[in-house]
Amino acid sequence: MAQKNLDWENIGFSYIKTDYRYVSNYKDGKWDDGQITEDSTIVMSEDAGVLHYAQECFEGLKAYRTEDNRIVCFRPDLNAERMVDSATRLEMPPFPKERFIKAVEEVVKANEDWVPPYGSGATLYIRPVMFATGNVIGVNPADEYQFRIFCTPVGPYFKGGAKPISIKVSDFDRAAPHGTGNIKAGLNYAMSLHPIVKAHEEGFAENLYLDAGTRTYVEETGGANIIFVDKDGNLVIPRSYTDSILPSVTRRSIAYVAEHVLGLKVEERPVKLEEVSSFVEMGLCGTAAVISPVGKITDHGKVYEIPSGMDEMGPVIKKLYDTLTGIQMGHIEGPAGWVHEIKK
Ligand code: PLP
Ligand code: COI
């Protein structure tokens, strides 16, 4: 076994096929034992439920190599729980939490050579996915499913890594009030594909989505939650009054670190778009985004320039970034249970 020879500092956020994946199938009312396989392809019926009624959900987490060469991942229990919630909402049989964590361990261990070196800026992105393979033709849940976890080494989600980005207020909505915005269903991302293509064409890195009901409140972006810092140095986190924001593992961890490690005041509440002009720092947070600073929001003719600017992260977001990534990479001790070692 030897570490793969990739240009780790320069890989982007795209799929690189690794050697092994974990697969378990659900049939006759139960999940089978599951196994590690080299087969990266899936063969299924033309009538599979996923193809017609989008019965699919997924997760995203990362494995990191620490300075002392251990391999760890970050709070996989929360991804397991969120996938149970996603599956339940989509009438899919949840994959048991303890099995999810064990499968993450197995697939990362099997692909150990693909875990990027410490300090390279790259990590191993782990993508659990579950989908309906059983036949459906009327609108009903299927009776057969596949749960799969593959992984791929990735670099920063946004070009330039920690450089501030410019985003726009989307004309489209990503999630209906009381719909599926609070689960990690592929259908939410299908909704966001046309808007993200448009945003990129116009030179923006991401879309900011407002609440679909009133188009007044800030919800989140296509692939990350939002955090703000107000002029008193407090962390302000948008809350959805229609439960249409994904409960980000990263955002929940940042809120805890801000309050309990850095001693900041944390407010979680509905945030109006017009309030954005009163904030001094803004970031997008998620597994892929980590914490990506935002320097500018364009809402048609109106531009909100975030005072921390387009050159570098503001000081509070930088402190949060350093603390969070320090915990994830294993050189700052985090709360018990956050860092999950993959034992060799
Ligand atoms: N919001 C959306 C829409 C996402 O796709 C993601 C990515 O997973 C997040 C937020 C961040 O969630 P997490 O921190 O659990 O990765
Ligand atoms: C993640 O951060 O894991 C996500 O699923 C977001 C996606 C846009 C890559």
Side-chain angles (χ1 to χ4, degrees):
M1 303 268 274
Q3 187 157 58
K4 301 286 171 187
N5 187 18
L6 269 72
D7 182 10
W8 299 109
E9 276 80 10
N10 294 306
I11 57 172
F13 198 92
S14 54
Y15 177 71
I16 296 170
K17 193 170 116 185
T18 54
D19 296 325
Y20 301 102
R21 59 279 303 133
Y22 175 92
V23 176
S24 174
N25 291 301
Y26 182 91
K27 197 176 172 175
D28 299 328
K30 58 179 193 308
W31 289 106
D32 69 15
D33 288 344
Q35 59 174 335
I36 293 288
T37 165
E38 290 184 55
D39 190 357
S40 64
T41 63
I42 298 160
V43 177
M44 61 184 157
S45 166
E46 63 190 359
D47 188 43
V50 63
L51 301 177
H52 301 273
Y53 306 130
Q55 214 186 358
E56 187 265 6
C57 59
F58 69 100
E59 271 305 323
L61 66 162
K62 283 174 171 172
Y64 310 83
R65 198 179 286 278
T66 63
E67 204 165 4
D68 57 358
N69 211 24
R70 291 174 302 128
I71 297 174
V72 298
C73 57
F74 187 66
R75 308 189 78 182
D77 50 325
L78 297 191
N79 296 95
E81 285 168 10
R82 190 169 63 189
M83 200 164 196
V84 168
D85 293 342
S86 298
T88 304
R89 173 68 173 82
L90 296 170
E91 289 295 334
M92 303 166 87
F95 195 73
K97 177 175 166 183
E98 292 314 318
R99 287 197 59 191
F100 177 106
I101 297 169
K102 196 161 170 294
V104 166
E105 289 170 353
E106 280 182 38
V107 79
V108 172
K109 214 182 298 180
N111 289 299
E112 184 188 337
D113 296 347
W114 294 93
V115 183
Y118 175 79
S120 63
T123 51
L124 188 72
Y125 185 71
I126 305 163
R127 174 54 65 88
V129 57
M130 189 198 288
F131 46 92
T133 51
N135 294 320
V136 288
I137 198 72
V139 179
N140 276 307
D143 58 1
E144 294 182 11
Y145 296 87
Q146 182 169 114
F147 171 83
R148 174 177 282 257
I149 306 181
F150 65 87
C151 37
T152 179
V154 294
Y157 190 67
F158 296 109
K159 273 196 212 95
K163 280 288 272 183
I165 55 173
S166 164
I167 66 175
K168 68 169 281 193
V169 175
S170 179
D171 293 327
F172 300 92
D173 298 317
R174 85 175 266 283
H178 310 292
T180 54
N182 61 349
I183 58 162
K184 212 160 164 56
L187 64 92
N188 296 332
Y189 299 81
M191 298 272 280
S192 75
L193 294 176
H194 178 63
I196 195 64
V197 168
K198 290 277 166 221
H200 287 163
E201 277 171 10
E202 294 164 21
F204 300 103
E206 248 292 13
N207 279 300
L208 186 157
Y209 291 100
L210 301 176
D211 73 296
T214 68
R215 311 204 100 245
T216 311
Y217 294 94
V218 170
E219 292 221 313
E220 60 176 322
T221 64
N225 279 183
I226 296 173
I227 55 174
F228 295 106
V229 178
D230 72 14
K231 56 183 181 345
D232 299 321
N234 304 321
L235 190 68
V236 180
I237 297 175
R239 173 176 288 164
S240 167
Y241 66 97
T242 53
D243 199 14
S244 35
I245 296 179
L246 187 76
S248 156
V249 173
T250 316
R251 183 255 295 165
R252 286 179 274 165
S253 306
I254 289 168
Y256 186 92
V257 163
E259 187 175 345
H260 299 281
V261 180
L262 301 178
L264 306 182
K265 195 168 150 231
V266 179
E267 281 177 40
E268 288 195 38
R269 58 171 175 83
V271 172
K272 288 193 166 153
L273 176 63
E274 66 195 29
E275 257 188 87
V276 164
S277 51
S278 71
F279 295 129
V280 296
E281 297 179 44
M282 175 177 179
L284 307 186
C285 61
T287 299
V290 193
I291 305 180
S292 300
V294 175
K296 204 193 278 189
I297 307 175
T298 300
D299 179 18
H300 303 92
K302 186 168 169 127
V303 178
Y304 297 88
E305 311 256 6
I306 310 295
S308 52
M310 288 299 292
D311 293 329
E312 53 189 9
M313 282 188 186
V316 176
I317 289 203
K318 172 92 170 85
K319 220 181 282 175
L320 286 167
Y321 178 93
D322 288 344
T323 311
L324 178 75
T325 55
I327 294 171
Q328 290 171 330
M329 302 277 172
H331 56 260
I332 296 179
E333 174 131 5
W338 279 23
V339 170
H340 186 94
E341 185 164 348
I342 309 290
K343 299 266 190 247
K344 294 203 175 148

